Amino acid sequence: MVPCLFMCSTARENGERLRKRKEDTDMAMLANDWAQALDSEFHKPYYKNLYLFVREEYSKRVVYPPADDIFNAFHFTPLSKVKVLLLGQDPYHNEHQAHGMSFSVLPDQREIPPSLQNIYQELHDDLGCYIPNNGYLQKWADQGVLLLNTVLTVRAHQANSHQGKGWEEFTDAVIRAVNEQDRPIVYLLWGRPAQSKIPMLTNPKHLILKAPHPSPLSAYRGFFGCKHFSQCNDFLKANGVEPIDWQIENINE
């Protein structure tokens, strides 16, 4: 059985409405201002194909994150509240890690992924944040950090397995929507895939910060010492915007 694939109980309760819109593949059922910003994407041919692909993947394989969590980045961070866009690539592909926000893992996941460990190390060196015992980043999302991956689903234990299926076109639309916001916003672009989006970022009110990816393979090439977190907060404060409290607190064992 396919899990509640992007459509919760309201879909069942409104079966007739959905039958009349059977050509619509509005997977997200977004309730906040992202719904209007992304509405046109849900009616494009690529998105219908993406929907069919993802639905089949969830019906036949183990796919992460859980279907109900795919759009968490948008649920937790409305477009009107975005202060920072932190762009990742693929969701984590191991069990009980991915939950719809880039770099974040579920609060009871005590094994912090290596890239996030390096992010915490840079936070410690840059702002003096202590290194927490968990990798749950919802606190950032609640403050306006859009934790966006360019691809929103992945097969278990198969990195990049959902690349090239349509997610990139969808998340490009997300990036364009953020670029159009008429207020100061910071982009944290770590690694070449994230930095490939720079030509889309044309708003002079925004700040683009670039560094190597925080993975163990590249963090020592310039991610460590980039001081992006203090630069981000300095920019926000200089523009009259409340800075981000980057400290993730420990979770009691």
Side-chain angles (χ1 to χ4, degrees), residues 77-122:
T77 312
L79 176 58
S80 61
K81 303 297 184 183
V82 173
K83 300 177 183 179
V84 180
L85 194 159
L86 176 50
L87 190 61
Q89 300 174 38
D90 226 25
Y92 296 123
H93 54 80
N94 290 327
E95 183 179 5
H96 206 59
Q97 288 186 324
H99 64 108
M101 296 191 292
S102 64
F103 294 103
S104 181
V105 293
L106 289 165
D108 58 355
Q109 178 62 244
R110 286 297 183 258
E111 185 176 348
I112 299 174
S115 291
L116 185 53
Q117 290 182 35
N118 288 339
I119 290 170
Y120 284 164
Q121 184 62 53
E122 176 59 21

Side-chain angles (χ1 to χ4, degrees), residues 147-209:
L147 297 168
L148 179 69
N149 280 316
T150 55
V151 174
L152 301 188
T153 56
V154 66
R155 290 180 190 170
H157 315 302
Q158 296 184 45
N160 305 320
S161 51
H162 284 186
Q163 285 190 357
K165 303 299 184 181
W167 279 129
E168 294 90 344
E169 189 167 348
F170 180 76
T171 53
D172 277 357
V174 173
I175 295 169
R176 286 193 295 270
V178 175
N179 181 66
E180 293 168 1
Q181 299 305 296
D182 187 29
R183 63 181 188 276
I185 292 174
V186 181
Y187 300 92
L188 300 180
L189 304 180
W190 300 333
R192 289 182 181 179
Q195 291 164 22
S196 71
K197 307 298 183 182
I198 289 176
M200 302 172 59
L201 307 178
T202 59
N203 194 322
K205 292 188 176 182
H206 298 175
L207 174 67
I208 299 171
L209 296 176

